[in-house]
Amino acid sequence: MTKYRNRLPQLDGRLFLTDGGIETTLIFQDGLDLPYFAAFHLLREADGTAALADYFRRHAAIARANGAGFILESATWRASADWGARLGYSDAALDEANRKAIDMLHGLRGEFETADSPMVISGCVGPRGDGYDPGAAMTPEQAQAYHARQIATFAATGADMVTAITMTNTPEAIGVTRAAQAAGMPVVISFTVETDGRLPTGEPLWDAIAAVDGATGDGPAYFMINCAHPSHFAGQLAEGEAWVGRIRGIRANASRCSHAELDQATELDSGDPVELGRLYRELRGRFGQINVLGGCCGTDHRHIEQICGHCKLAA
């Protein structure tokens, strides 16, 4: 059963953590094979399922130890139709994988949640295409149709919300939002930005947020920024701007490299966890509404620990 769908506790403004870069951690640190970066593919075997559960435990334990809330983000970024087909999944098998991913998080919530550390279960939706390159963008109608089945599955499993991560373009973000609205699910849109703070399409972040809000009646519960180092986007955020107030979450990269550079890299760039924690604290100092904090490419539990520690001190 859903617990927080009708009232997301992170909207109250307290500190919430989420996990780091799940795919880069599982590949480069845990030595697991993730074809197409599909973490959900691990759920087909007991050892893979256990590895995923251990990954989430490392992060949830940080939140519980520090009295912070936590967003349990499902390992389903690639668990949509096109990516599933590449891995040989039927529609029914993909539905089952999405259900299993959410069921795992229900179990982990029972294991880790306390009164001081509410734990929200989010169904993770990824882009139809690449998370760095928008390619040929769908229309909002096409995007809604494409993402509707996965989101409906999340709704039926009792997930509290949906988070669309690494959205590269506004039509797809609009379609995801409409699909979530149709399923009665709160939705969060997290945009990928480049080193200039703009979407991979070249669109300014403020225009993208305005476009999604305008097309969906302010549909998203809030917006997030992900898959870029804070130095890439911090300068684009201006105090007092209404659109900035719609941003509540950050999932930054550990590395200062561009997406093109990361695509060519053969080793993981984990950056400096302490520096990343300090940069998050500076962002929180400027924009107090930003209270959902996690990581993206190259980050792991060490970065989340530093982010939490720095931001608790600034609270």
Side-chain angles (χ1 to χ4, degrees), residues 38-41 75-84 87 94-95 97-98 101 124-126 146 149-150 154:
F40 82 91
H41 198 46
T76 53
W77 182 64
R78 287 299 202 210
S80 63
D82 286 6
W83 294 102
L87 291 163
L94 197 58
D95 292 344
N98 278 294
C124 183
V125 174
Y146 178 77
R149 183 166 184 148
Q150 185 182 25
F154 292 147

Side-chain angles (χ1 to χ4, degrees), residues 123 125-127 138-152 154-155 161-165 167 169-191 208-224 246:
V125 174
M138 296 178 282
T139 65
E141 293 74 21
Q142 290 169 332
Q144 179 176 352
Y146 178 77
H147 290 291
R149 183 166 184 148
Q150 185 182 25
I151 290 172
F154 292 147
M161 58 182 284
V162 171
T163 304
I165 291 184
M167 289 290 104
N169 63 92
T170 56
E172 187 164 17
I174 290 167
V176 170
T177 302
R178 289 175 176 169
Q181 289 174 313
M185 292 288 282
V187 60
V188 171
I189 298 295
S190 188
F191 281 118
I209 289 174
V212 175
D213 272 346
T216 63
D218 296 343
Y222 53 91
F223 291 86
M224 296 178 66
R246 293 284 283 135

Side-chain angles (χ1 to χ4, degrees), residues 93-108:
L94 197 58
D95 292 344
E96 179 57 27
N98 278 294
R99 283 192 291 268
K100 189 172 182 180
I102 299 297
D103 287 346
M104 168 190 286
L105 300 186
H106 280 290
L108 290 168

Side-chain angles (χ1 to χ4, degrees), residues 49-285:
T49 301
L52 279 175
D54 287 345
Y55 168 84
F56 286 114
R57 286 190 178 98
R58 289 198 295 271
H59 291 82
I62 297 168
R64 185 174 65 181
N66 287 278
F70 193 72
I71 311 293
L72 286 157
E73 194 71 60
S74 65
T76 53
W77 182 64
R78 287 299 202 210
S80 63
D82 286 6
W83 294 102
R86 294 181 190 187
L87 291 163
Y89 285 75
S90 67
D91 288 346
L94 197 58
D95 292 344
E96 179 57 27
N98 278 294
R99 283 192 291 268
K100 189 172 182 180
I102 299 297
D103 287 346
M104 168 190 286
L105 300 186
H106 280 290
L108 290 168
R109 177 160 67 187
E111 183 178 344
F112 282 93
E113 186 174 51
T114 69
D116 291 331
S117 295
M119 300 206 170
V120 178
I121 294 174
S122 174
C124 183
V125 174
R128 186 174 190 173
D130 186 81
Y132 289 172
D133 181 0
M138 296 178 282
T139 65
E141 293 74 21
Q142 290 169 332
Q144 179 176 352
Y146 178 77
H147 290 291
R149 183 166 184 148
Q150 185 182 25
I151 290 172
T153 300
F154 292 147
T157 62
D160 298 307
M161 58 182 284
V162 171
T163 304
I165 291 184
T166 64
M167 289 290 104
T168 61
N169 63 92
T170 56
E172 187 164 17
I174 290 167
V176 170
T177 302
R178 289 175 176 169
Q181 289 174 313
M185 292 288 282
V187 60
V188 171
I189 298 295
S190 188
F191 281 118
T192 293
V193 297
E194 299 288 349
T195 56
D196 60 0
R198 292 170 176 254
L199 273 62
T201 57
E203 185 174 14
L205 184 58
W206 52 88
D207 282 354
I209 289 174
V212 175
D213 272 346
T216 63
D218 296 343
Y222 53 91
F223 291 86
M224 296 178 66
I225 301 171
N226 70 265
C227 210
H229 191 268
S231 62
H232 298 162
F233 58 81
Q236 301 292 322
L237 306 180
E239 289 87 344
E241 295 285 341
W243 69 272
V244 176
R246 293 284 283 135
I247 299 171
R248 279 189 172 267
I250 302 290
R251 293 190 66 138
N253 284 353
S255 174
R256 293 175 180 265
C257 291
S258 68
H259 293 146
E261 291 168 328
L262 290 174
D263 253 349
Q264 298 301 315
T266 56
E267 297 182 357
L268 184 66
D269 182 357
S270 295
D272 182 343
V274 175
E275 180 198 39
L276 193 65
R278 177 179 57 79
L279 292 173
Y280 270 67
R281 181 181 64 200
E282 292 175 1
L283 282 168
R284 281 267 289 167

Side-chain angles (χ1 to χ4, degrees), residues 7-50:
R7 189 178 183 275
L8 298 178
Q10 64 266 42
L11 297 180
D12 293 341
R14 66 179 298 176
L15 181 65
F16 267 75
L17 302 176
T18 188
D19 62 308
I22 182 171
E23 293 85 9
T24 53
T25 296
L26 293 171
I27 294 170
F28 290 99
Q29 294 191 19
D30 295 348
L32 298 170
D33 181 30
L34 299 188
Y36 302 113
F37 263 39
F40 82 91
H41 198 46
L42 294 173
L43 293 167
R44 72 195 190 283
E45 296 177 354
D47 287 350
T49 301

